[in-house]
Amino acid sequence: MRFSLFLTTRSTAPSEDRAVMDALVEHVDVGASLGFDAVFQPDHHFTGYAPQASDPFVFAAYLAARHPELWYGFSVQTVPLHHPVRFAERLALLDQLTDGKLLVGVGSGTTPEESIGFGVNFQDTSRLSQENLEIVGRLLAKKPEDEPVQFSTSHYSGAVVSRISPAPYGNRTPTMMPVAARPSSTERAARLGQPAFILNFLPPQQMTPENPFEVFAESYQRYRTALEAQDHPQAVVDHALDWTTHSYQYVHLAETDEQAEAELDVLLGQYQRTVEREFVANKKAEAISGVDLKEPTDGTTPEWKRVWCLHGSPETVTAKLKEYADLGVGNLLGGFMGGPLTPERRRATDQSLRLFAERVMPNFRTSK
């Protein structure tokens, strides 16, 4: 099993932005020294949700210069907010800068505030995402001698006559990673030989199932069966399974389960306050976007923790992860520094990283 860091720390004011970014760089430095394999970032704007995520391409390039041994991923790039040509160019360039160690999670989900900030109608994001991805695929496959790639969508139109420069590393398409949440997305990922993010809930209705692992296992087996049924070379199947990912927003470890639970409750209380603050901004944006979203999820409830949190003693966390490892999951993506950058957050991150790297990860390693 591979292990990846998820960079989701919040900034609650402009004065905190640099401190959060510096802390994230240090977090990656420590994670790399402890043997983590990859760093994933979200794509978020305006609210302070991970300030570096206003341009995760740039931040990934900066980190890649410090740690060329790591893989760099996105969970996920919000495709409707990107011009498809610029998106293809930036994918290819970062693919080169990381020597092909790029994992591009893609999705359409965003918020009204982010959408209107880019001049995108929130209600058009799903359709625009599919349109843009289709264009990106044609652009990355285009050779100089091919006919121009012409495109006309609800939002963009144009033509690329020559090619995307630079070409991706090794002259192949960068690894794309969809969220396999529905049968159609699962089948598409399998058909294209792509790794996938597998969820342990069924959106949008069943966000907090009683047994998240059972939901995950069913979705994972559906994806794996579909992938292995395709006529892919074994190397493509192996790469897809190596990076098929299970995610936790919060990973918190302590010496005992009781200590971990108590400390996590403090952290989630701080996290919830940032979620509610961001929701106020989104409610203002809803009036412009013509939508009316539900109230924010309460991240302090047992139901939310059951789905989104991996916590406990090293022994408890190891037992939980063993279920996923036995299933064949290739990558565990964990947020060790989520929420605002409080003193409690800093102490918890240091503690969790050390315990996880020293007493959990070795149980799932044969070689790095």
Side-chain angles (χ1 to χ4, degrees), residues 144-189:
E145 63 272 17
D146 293 340
E147 290 296 314
V149 170
Q150 300 187 49
F151 55 91
S152 180
T153 73
S154 58
H155 214 68
Y156 303 110
S157 62
V160 173
V161 176
S162 297
R163 66 179 179 92
I164 294 298
S165 175
Y169 184 80
N171 290 312
R172 87 286 177 275
T173 302
T175 299
M176 310 293 274
M177 291 182 64
V179 178
R182 294 177 174 83
S184 58
S185 56
T186 299
E187 290 295 330
R188 186 174 189 276

Side-chain angles (χ1 to χ4, degrees), residues 110-117 120 122 281-287 289 291 293:
T110 183
T111 64
E113 184 180 14
E114 291 176 318
S115 295
I116 63 172
V120 173
F122 180 77
N282 271 311
K283 289 303 290 184
K284 295 178 182 178
E286 287 180 27
S289 303
V291 296
L293 301 184

Side-chain angles (χ1 to χ4, degrees), residues 36-54:
F36 281 80
D37 299 282
V39 174
F40 280 72
Q41 298 182 75
D43 179 15
H44 280 297
H45 309 270
F46 311 130
T47 64
Y49 181 165
Q52 89 291 349
S54 63

